């Protein structure tokens, strides 16, 4: 509207490309925009629609957009492949990933996978995690039927019984699949496989040239996401206002599932958005053990700079008390 | 003959009705889950409920299809003409064009996105990449089917090569060209849909994509139905144009 | 501007096929004077169409050359009115537009030739069919349209490859007469390929008989009968010798082959 | 003519070389990222390194393509024949077939997976769904181009309708049918690749997909290259079969 | 088994076109006796091909009917040897295989007819071309192949729609003679559509002249000249009256139209 135009004169324009068509998962960005959180930090945020994780990462590396979100393996692999991405804040915790299995499949742990079929999203960077988990569980990978299925249809295929298990981000799949099929979650950590979660990312060049703006953006985003988790109905309303194709209950279910895991201090005492060196090293170890990354190929200090996090979070900034009880 | 003309639309409607009944039976007594294939009646209801959303998006898709198709016709026919006119051009381009046709377009998606961004331009590129080949191949077929003697006729009557080509050869090739356009039109629809699903942020197939990733299958199939009807209408529009442009072939089939 | 001389100078032509080389013409030497009308007679496959193709500039001879007024024919030229064995009508155009095709192909003003085209159609009894599609006509009617098309621009060279083959006897005679009177005014140089000795005798100043493949000039018969001639040469005794010579020329060729 | 025949493969090679040089320049001085489009030389190296893996998988893909294509030919030509023989069949099926052609196949993927499972059978179904239409359309084009008089010839010479059809009409329609097969063959490759990428566990396109999820773009494009070469070879094989089967059309184009 | 009687009983035929209805035939009444040879003469577009189409069972008349030995012709029957105006050769088959096409179409033993086919090709001077493709032949040569194809099974009805139109004068005469002698042995009932009065006179027991569209039987001329007849009717005075009547019949029709 015209109010924004007047204000945007003194705001810094920042663009973010999403990784999927809009989804409840990304409500935090719209919430922050709608509530004026970005504006408060002197930022005019432009949210660009996205089609895939890699397309968004490519766009960030190219400088076409300033930010996106991406998984830890994706950041690492992109760096090796020549895209100098940096991870700024961990917005989704790593524990959200693993196998979703049908309750009727007879799978209770990673070691039960022999003779079963597992759906893996084509084009995702989850395969190395799966390899590591299978190896750690001592299962012969040749005895598992791995089926690559396009991201657009994994939930559908799994919900309709197309396989015994699906490798996924639980909050992405569970709320949609559960009404159709009884499911259990088996996380990677149950196989002893360590993996950080999803990061707010940018490019090395952008961060070094816009240090202050980056810091403000990270701060605004963490504030926005935490606020959204706190005020779910508003966050969803903000998102639906932009996306008439979405149904409120779908966006809500996905968002709620993410929110249940996303806010406050985790078991290690890290704040929402923050990450630890051990966590990153564990992730590298997992990728190295499954052969997709060479030891020392990624310099963690430059790839995951903490500078923008140093100012954050002030104790008590996020009040997630209402949410923590839900999980 | 006269009787069968009047029967044709009726038969077509009957065919569609039979297909719908089969769909209904498969979902009700056939035991196919609603997450895979929703019941046609639910889809119908969803069509009503999402009327506005679908209408808002159909224009975008239609634009991608029509502009992309028009570009494909221009490019496909021009290439066929150039390849007809010069065997050097023909020799140079044939393997490259076949290669481009064969490459799975989805593998080129990152390249297309890098160059043209997410949105309608990429959509058009994808539509053209998919649509141009059958148009090109059928146009070439049409030209090669033109009796050598007609070309002789044109030149001995004082037509320049170009004029003979446009006045005599092109109309003779038209029936074959239009077969290419009919296939091409359905591919343009497929291409536009694919582009919206994999490289888009708007349009009917985008709605379908969003709905189906939320497992809202009734809504996804409502969008799919709109897309299919759009495709069928555009296909028949193409055959109608052929019929109107080529009265001399009407008796034939 | 007087009609051109058509000169075939030592024309030889070979067709290359997967099965080998067919010599269609072998050193054909033939000069047709300005305004002269020549009929070409000869057994099927002796190369008559090939010779006409060379005059039209459509076929490049293997050796020798064809000349229009001493200018070598290297590519199709459009000074000739041509009728082929097949009618080659364009089914998507009306009969009238088919007749006007040469005008359009040369980007001339169609209006200038409309009257002429309609008059020609009238001459061949197709006045009522000007706006019909060729698909609605019989084979003979189609060929008559092709004939009008060749004449619409009053060409000064006429190359006719069995144009009457599909016409009924009377229309044939009629067009023969029309053609003849038209040529008396235009003085076009003309070559008519035909299988009918009577037609050749009626039409030509000179009948050229060709030998079987490979085509050579076997005999030339001057038709020394003043015009107008009777439509049926057989009823006029002045034609007796011409018809007889032509008949014998053609029969002996066959026997010799 | 004779000279240009010898030139053709050379020109084709030149065309491919030019395309490769363009690719090289785009990736080296054109500033395209390696995650989007790797350098051709890296791809070449990867082709060598992954020789065995690629060879192991090419057979699977080839089988899907060839069986799927064969099924499409049988189905497409049979449908065209049935629709030619009976205007009732034609009227009933046309809109349904056009509808099936227009539906984005990816939307049907869950249905296909539910019915045929994940694997080669689903791959075949996808190939057929994609390939059958151009074959059908071109076969119909071929039949409708057959001069009515040839049918008369067959019947007055005592041929049954069927025998006249096979002896006279089919060969007359062959050039048009083969144009459909040429388009169809390239689509069969696309379809097989799509099936492996969207729901597969084997094959060249599966390898490509796995490589690209690990951002091994050199390897992904090595697989893509194999797929494209396979497609081009199969396309030329189709034209070669056409050439061998129809000696009487050779002089033409 | 004697050759059938061909009987057209009050045959009327209308063509429906976008432009309206064309009456091609109007109450044609014609009985051709067993083994009789009839020549059909008439101006272009008078419905000769349509009448033959009805006899072939390809065209269903609007009113009336055609009969073979009192059996109504309702669908294509294969007892007739047919030659059309177009040659309709199959370019993918050799010349010999084209001649053998009717045999194959009827699923009879090809070997039984090979000799016959080769002999026919020899008769028309194409012995050397048995293994060639039709694309390598001239228009006249192609039509001769079509002629052999019609005769290969020794049919007892012959329906010939201007089969000689594209043949050269000599070959034409030759085939006329061959056909005539062949028919003396087979006794086939035959209808020949032609534009040549001489040809009609040479071939026919009776010449049927049709009026211009809509086609009606205008005149019948019995050719009461014993066989063998001279190849050139014009040289034999017994034909004078026949030729003259035919010529006048055809001319007066035109004038009346
Ligand atoms: N395109 C071609 N390829 C090969 N041979 C050909 C070709 N055209 C004609 N011939 C051969 O050349 C010879 C002469 O053919 P042409 O058509 O000139 O004869 P023609 O005298 O016009 O015959 P007709 O009277 O039957 O029309 C024939 O023997 C024929 O077989
Ligand atoms: N398929 C058709 N559709 C409409 N009218 C037709 C059709 N075929 C023939 N006619 C008309 O019927 C009349 C008779 O045609 P037909 O072909 O029987 O004549 P014909 O005597 O064989 O002529 P020709 O000597 O030129 O071959 C013509 O006036 C023609 O215009
Ligand atoms: C914040 C954030 N969360 C998740 C993803 C990635 N992602 C979105 S949906 C999905 C499941 C598909 O398998 C995955 C992995 C991201 N890029 N950014
Ligand atoms: Mg000729
Ligand atoms: Mg006729």
């Amino acid at each position: 509207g015209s109010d924004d135009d007047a204000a945007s004169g003194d705001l810094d324009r920042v663009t973010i490309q999403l990784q999927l068509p809009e989804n409840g998962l990304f409500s935090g960005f719209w919430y922050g925009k709608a509530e004026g959180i970005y504006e408060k930090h002197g930022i005019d945020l432009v949210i660009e629609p996205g089609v895939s994780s890699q397309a968004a990462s490519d766009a960030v590396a190219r400088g076409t957009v300033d930010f996106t979100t991406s998984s830890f393996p994706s950041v690492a692999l992109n760096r090796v492949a020549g895209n100098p991405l940096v991870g700024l804040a961990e917005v989704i915790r790593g524990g959200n990933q693993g196998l979703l299995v049908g309750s009727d499949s007879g799978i209770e742990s990673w070691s039960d996978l022999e003779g079963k079929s597992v759906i893996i999203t084509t084009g995702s960077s989850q395969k190395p995690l799966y390899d590591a988990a299978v190896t750690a569980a001592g299962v012969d990978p040749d005895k598992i039927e791995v089926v690559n299925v396009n991201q657009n249809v994994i939930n559908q295929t799994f919900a309709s019984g197309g396989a015994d298990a699906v490798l996924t981000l639980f909050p992405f799949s569970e709320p949609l699949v559960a009404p159709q099929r009884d499911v259990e979650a088996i996380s990677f950590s149950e196989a002893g496989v360590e993996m950080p979660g999803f990061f707010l990312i940018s490019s090395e060049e952008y961060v070094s040239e816009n240090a202050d703006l980056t810091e403000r953006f990270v701060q605004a985003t963490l504030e926005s996401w935490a606020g959204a988790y706190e005020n779910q109905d508003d966050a969803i309303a903000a998102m639906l206002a932009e996306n008439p194709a979405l149904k409120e209950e779908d966006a809500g279910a996905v968002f709620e599932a993410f929110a249940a895991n996303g806010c406050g201090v985790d078991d290690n005492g890290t704040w929402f958005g923050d990450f630890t060196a051990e966590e990153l090293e564990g992730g590298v170890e997992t990728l190295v053990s499954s052969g997709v990354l060479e030891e020392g190929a990624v310099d963690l200090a430059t790839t995951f700079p903490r500078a923008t996090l140093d100012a954050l979070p002030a104790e008590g900034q996020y009040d997630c008390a209402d949410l923590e009880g839900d999980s | 003959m006269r009787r069968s003309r009047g029967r044709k639309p009726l038969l077509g409607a009957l065919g569609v009705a039979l297909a719908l009944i089969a769909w209904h039976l498969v979902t009700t007594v056939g035991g196919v889950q609603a997450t895979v294939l929703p019941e046609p009646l639910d889809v119908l209801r969803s069509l009503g409920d999402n009327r506005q959303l679908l209408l808002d998006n159909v224009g975008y898709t239609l634009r991608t299809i029509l502009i992309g198709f028009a570009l494909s016709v221009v490019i496909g026919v021009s290439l066929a003409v150039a390849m007809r006119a010069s065997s050097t051009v023909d020799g140079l381009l044939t393997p490259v064009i076949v290669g481009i046709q064969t490459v799975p377009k989805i593998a080129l998606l990152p390249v297309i996105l890098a160059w043209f961004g997410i949105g309608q331009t990429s959509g058009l590129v994808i539509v053209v990449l998919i649509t141009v080949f059958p148009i090109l191949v059928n146009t070439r077929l049409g030209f090669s089917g033109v009796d050598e003697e007609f070309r002789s006729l044109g030149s001995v009557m004082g037509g320049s090569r170009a004029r003979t080509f446009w006045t005599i050869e092109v109309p003779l090739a038209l029936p074959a060209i239009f077969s290419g356009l009919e296939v091409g039109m359905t591919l343009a629809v497929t291409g536009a849909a694919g582009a919206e699903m994999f490289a888009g942020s708007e349009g009917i197939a985008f709605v379908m994509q969003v709905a189906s990733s939320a497992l809202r299958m009734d809504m996804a199939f409502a969008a799919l139905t709109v897309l299919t009807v759009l495709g069928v209408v555009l296909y028949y529009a193409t055959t109608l144009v052929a019929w109107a442009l080529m009265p001399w072939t009407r008796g034939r089939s | 501007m007087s009609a051109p001389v058509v000169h075939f100078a030592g024309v030889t032509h070979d067709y290359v096929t997967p099965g080998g080389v067919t010599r269609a013409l072998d050193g054909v030497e033939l000069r047709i004077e300005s305004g002269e009308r020549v009929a070409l007679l000869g057994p099927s496959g002796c190369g008559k169409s090939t010779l006409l193709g060379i005059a039209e500039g459509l076929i490049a001879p293997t050796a020798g050359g064809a000349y229009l007024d001493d200018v070598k024919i290297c590519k199709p030229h459009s000074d000739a009115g041509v009728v082929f064995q097949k009618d080659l009508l364009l089914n998507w155009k009306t009969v009238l537009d088919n007749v006007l095709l040469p005008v359009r192909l040369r980007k001339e003003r169609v209006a200038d030739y409309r009257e002429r085209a309609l008059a020609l159609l009238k001459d061949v009894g197709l006045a009522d069919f000007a706006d019909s599609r060729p698909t609605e006509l019989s084979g003979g009617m189609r060929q008559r349209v092709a004939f009008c098309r060749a004449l619409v621009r009053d060409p000064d060279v006429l190359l006719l490859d069995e144009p009457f083959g599909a016409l009924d006897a009377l229309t044939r005679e009629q067009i023969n007469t029309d053609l003849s009177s038209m040529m008396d005014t235009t003085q076009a140089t003309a070559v008519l390929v035909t299988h009918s000795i009577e037609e050749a005798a009626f039409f030509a100043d000179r009948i050229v008989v060709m030998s079987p493949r490979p085509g050579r000039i076997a005999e030339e018969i001057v038709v020394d009968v003043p015009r107008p001639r009777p439509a049926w040469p057989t009823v006029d005794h002045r034609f007796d010798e011409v018809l007889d010579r032509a008949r014998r020329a053609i029969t002996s060729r066959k026997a010799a082959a």
Side-chain angles (χ1 to χ4, degrees), chain A, chain B, chain C:
Chain A
S2 54
D3 289 347
D4 292 349
D5 293 344
S8 63
D10 12 289
L11 299 178
D12 294 308
R13 190 171 179 277
V14 166
T15 55
I16 181 158
Q17 186 176 116
L18 306 182
Q19 302 209 329
L20 314 165
E22 289 83 345
N23 175 297
L25 163 60
F26 302 107
S27 301
F29 293 118
W30 274 281
Y31 176 80
K33 218 172 127 103
E35 295 295 318
I37 298 172
Y38 286 102
E39 207 175 320
K40 188 182 80 190
H41 289 270
I43 289 168
D44 170 28
L45 176 64
V46 177
I47 303 172
E48 295 185 356
V51 294
S52 77
S53 309
Q54 189 53 41
S57 296
D58 286 334
V60 168
R62 220 182 297 130
T64 313
V65 291
D66 305 332
F67 294 94
T68 186
T69 58
S70 189
S71 69
F72 176 85
S74 170
V75 175
L77 293 173
N78 265 282
R79 272 198 90 90
V80 172
N83 279 345
L85 302 182
V86 290
L88 302 169
E90 187 181 8
V91 288
I92 303 281
R93 305 268 191 220
N96 290 306
Q97 305 168 81
L99 284 179
L100 209 56
V101 302
S103 304
D104 54 358
S105 67
I107 306 172
E108 285 175 358
S109 74
W110 286 90
S111 43
D112 298 331
L113 278 179
E114 270 187 26
K116 307 294 183 190
S117 56
V118 180
I119 292 171
I120 299 185
T121 306
T122 46
S124 80
S125 46
Q126 295 166 328
K127 180 71 165 35
L129 310 189
Y130 162 85
D131 289 339
V134 168
T135 310
V139 181
D140 178 358
D142 292 340
K143 296 199 171 135
I144 307 172
E145 190 195 350
V146 170
V147 183
N148 273 46
V149 173
N150 186 271
Q151 173 169 293
N152 297 318
V153 295
I154 57 162
N155 291 334
Q156 238 177 314
T157 308
F158 178 64
S160 53
D164 297 313
V166 58
L167 201 64
T168 188
L169 190 65
F170 302 137
F172 173 77
S173 292
E174 200 171 0
L176 298 172
V177 172
Q180 325 285 337
R181 182 174 183 183
D182 289 335
V183 290
E184 313 289 343
I186 305 175
S187 73
F188 282 122
S189 43
E190 287 180 43
V193 167
E194 294 305 326
M195 184 53 57
F198 293 82
F199 289 77
L200 182 67
I201 68 158
S202 185
S203 73
E204 221 163 51
E205 191 183 347
Y206 184 86
V207 170
S208 74
E209 284 174 9
N210 305 280
D212 167 62
L213 179 54
T214 304
E215 193 173 315
R216 279 187 282 136
F217 181 74
V218 171
Q219 192 164 349
T221 298
L222 295 184
E223 228 177 289
S224 297
W225 278 50
Y229 287 158
E230 210 165 334
N231 305 292
Q232 289 186 25
D233 292 344
D234 293 344
I236 289 163
M239 148 138 230
L240 292 177
E242 299 286 331
N243 304 287
L246 273 179
K247 284 280 184 235
E248 184 170 356
E249 56 268 40
D250 301 326
V254 171
F255 184 61
E256 200 176 315
F258 273 103
N261 285 289
C263 194
V265 181
D266 72 5
D267 301 342
N268 307 323
T270 20
W271 271 101
F272 172 58
D274 201 359
F275 48 85
T276 65
E278 302 83 69
E279 198 185 354
L280 299 180
E281 277 155 16
V284 168
E285 208 172 291
T286 300
L287 293 179
V288 169
S289 76
S290 58
V292 294
L293 199 67
E294 276 171 38
E295 194 85 58
V298 175
D299 176 30
L300 291 175
T302 46
T303 306
F304 296 92
R306 301 188 52 84
T308 55
L309 286 174
D310 284 349
L312 288 171
E315 192 84 26
Q317 183 170 351
Y318 309 128
D319 182 7
C320 303
D322 302 344
L323 303 171
E324 278 171 358
D326 286 356
S327 56
Chain B
M1 275 291 270
R2 249 167 306 154
R3 199 166 51 105
S4 78
R5 284 207 175 270
R7 266 168 59 210
K8 217 152 190 184
L10 279 179
L11 276 173
L14 182 62
V16 172
L18 288 175
L20 288 176
I21 290 170
W23 176 6
H24 179 74
L25 291 178
V26 157
T27 49
T28 49
V29 297
V32 172
Q33 294 136 295
T35 45
V36 167
L37 191 63
E39 290 182 29
L41 290 177
D42 291 342
V43 173
L44 191 68
R45 194 171 311 116
S46 180
L47 267 172
D49 294 348
N50 297 291
R51 208 172 36 244
Q52 197 51 49
L53 176 69
L54 295 170
L55 273 179
D56 288 348
N57 280 279
V58 83
Y60 179 91
T61 308
L62 189 62
R63 199 158 60 239
T64 311
I65 294 169
L66 292 183
I67 300 176
F69 180 74
L71 287 171
S72 303
V73 173
V74 171
I75 296 171
V77 172
S78 307
L79 281 176
V81 168
M83 291 164 85
R84 170 94 188 151
S86 151
S87 68
T88 306
V89 174
D90 189 291
L92 267 176
L93 291 188
T94 301
V96 175
I97 289 175
V98 174
I100 292 177
Q101 162 71 2
T102 321
V103 172
K105 303 309 165 286
I106 182 120
L108 298 182
L109 202 58
V111 184
I112 294 169
L113 290 176
W115 282 340
F116 304 101
I118 293 168
Q120 201 155 30
T121 314
S122 284
L124 292 176
V125 171
I126 291 167
V127 169
V128 169
L129 283 176
I130 288 183
T131 309
V132 93
F133 193 72
I135 296 179
L136 171 65
V137 167
N138 270 57
T139 306
R140 290 182 66 191
L141 170 74
F143 288 139
S144 74
V146 172
D147 204 326
E148 189 63 46
E149 287 173 313
F150 276 103
R151 260 189 294 281
S152 305
L153 179 78
S155 39
V156 299
M157 291 205 163
S160 62
R161 200 166 159 185
R163 202 154 170 89
T164 299
F165 178 75
W166 290 109
T167 315
I168 301 179
E169 290 187 61
V170 170
L172 283 170
L174 264 194
I177 295 177
F178 264 99
S179 279
L181 298 191
E182 285 163 22
V183 175
M185 184 54 97
T186 66
L187 290 177
V189 176
T190 311
E196 284 173 14
M197 288 194 293
F198 298 108
S201 56
E202 219 176 309
I204 283 288
F206 178 78
V207 170
M208 180 177 88
Q209 170 63 44
V210 170
S212 82
S213 64
L215 262 75
R216 306 285 309 213
M217 297 319 288
D218 52 347
M219 184 168 160
F221 271 77
L224 188 71
T225 304
V226 172
L227 202 56
T228 305
V229 169
L230 189 67
V232 173
V233 167
L234 288 173
Y235 171 83
Y236 277 109
T238 314
T239 64
L240 198 72
V241 170
W243 184 85
L245 279 183
M246 304 187 294
W248 69 96
T249 59
R250 274 176 213 176
R252 284 246 197 109
S253 172
Chain C
M1 189 193 73
S2 83
V5 173
V6 179
H7 183 196
F8 297 96
V11 168
T12 294
H13 191 73
D14 294 331
Y15 284 104
V16 182
T17 64
V21 174
T22 308
R23 174 145 298 189
L25 295 172
D26 193 21
V28 170
E29 185 65 46
L30 178 62
R31 188 184 156 92
I32 305 166
E33 300 303 330
S34 169
E36 193 188 10
R37 302 173 217 170
V38 163
L40 222 51
L41 271 176
S44 183
C46 76
K48 302 181 295 295
S49 295
T50 305
L51 198 63
L52 244 54
I54 290 169
E56 288 151 3
L58 290 173
I59 300 175
T62 311
Y67 298 81
L68 272 191
D69 272 345
D70 298 324
V71 179
K72 185 156 183 177
I73 300 168
C74 300
K75 55 182 180 57
H77 52 99
S78 59
D79 309 313
V82 175
V83 182
F84 291 100
Q85 284 178 315
K86 292 191 198 165
D87 59 61
L88 300 179
L89 297 188
L90 309 184
N91 286 333
W92 59 93
K93 288 184 183 279
T94 62
V95 164
L96 180 61
D97 284 337
N98 266 284
V99 174
L100 289 167
L101 180 68
V103 180
R104 265 184 236 276
L105 280 174
R106 295 175 64 110
K107 303 196 192 175
E108 293 169 341
R109 272 175 54 93
V110 169
D112 295 347
Y113 290 90
R114 248 188 92 87
E115 287 310 305
R116 170 83 179 130
L118 287 168
L120 283 166
L121 284 172
K122 190 148 183 268
D123 287 350
V124 298
L126 291 174
D128 295 348
F129 290 86
D131 297 324
S132 302
R133 305 270 162 196
T135 39
E136 294 164 24
L137 305 186
S138 71
M141 295 155 89
R142 289 176 65 102
Q143 188 65 1
R144 281 140 77 189
V145 176
F147 203 79
C148 297
R149 181 177 61 185
L151 293 178
V152 73
R153 290 187 63 261
D154 289 306
D156 59 6
V157 180
L158 272 179
L159 301 171
L160 310 169
D161 195 344
E162 304 184 41
F164 309 128
L167 300 182
D168 65 283
L170 184 69
T171 313
R172 192 162 177 159
E173 184 180 332
Q174 184 65 51
I175 302 185
N176 262 308
T177 319
D178 293 349
L179 175 63
S180 159
S181 60
M182 187 210 79
M183 290 185 59
D184 289 339
T185 56
T186 65
Q187 304 290 340
T189 309
V191 184
L192 170 73
V193 172
T194 177
H195 285 127
S196 159
I197 296 171
E198 288 80 6
E199 207 156 79
F202 173 72
F203 173 84
D205 299 320
R206 184 162 43 123
I207 298 175
V208 174
V209 180
M210 289 176 67
S211 64
R213 185 161 25 82
R216 289 197 196 83
I217 306 296
E219 188 152 348
E220 306 201 2
I221 303 158
V222 174
V223 186
D224 207 0
V225 179
R227 301 172 201 272
R229 298 173 177 174
W232 295 88
T234 47
V235 302
D236 183 333
H237 289 290
R238 285 176 299 177
F239 282 99
D240 281 358
E241 197 210 345
V242 170
L243 294 176
D244 198 52
R245 269 190 68 192
R247 204 167 292 152
R248 267 183 295 116
I250 245 178
T251 317
S252 68
R253 288 305 127 206
K254 171 74 173 234

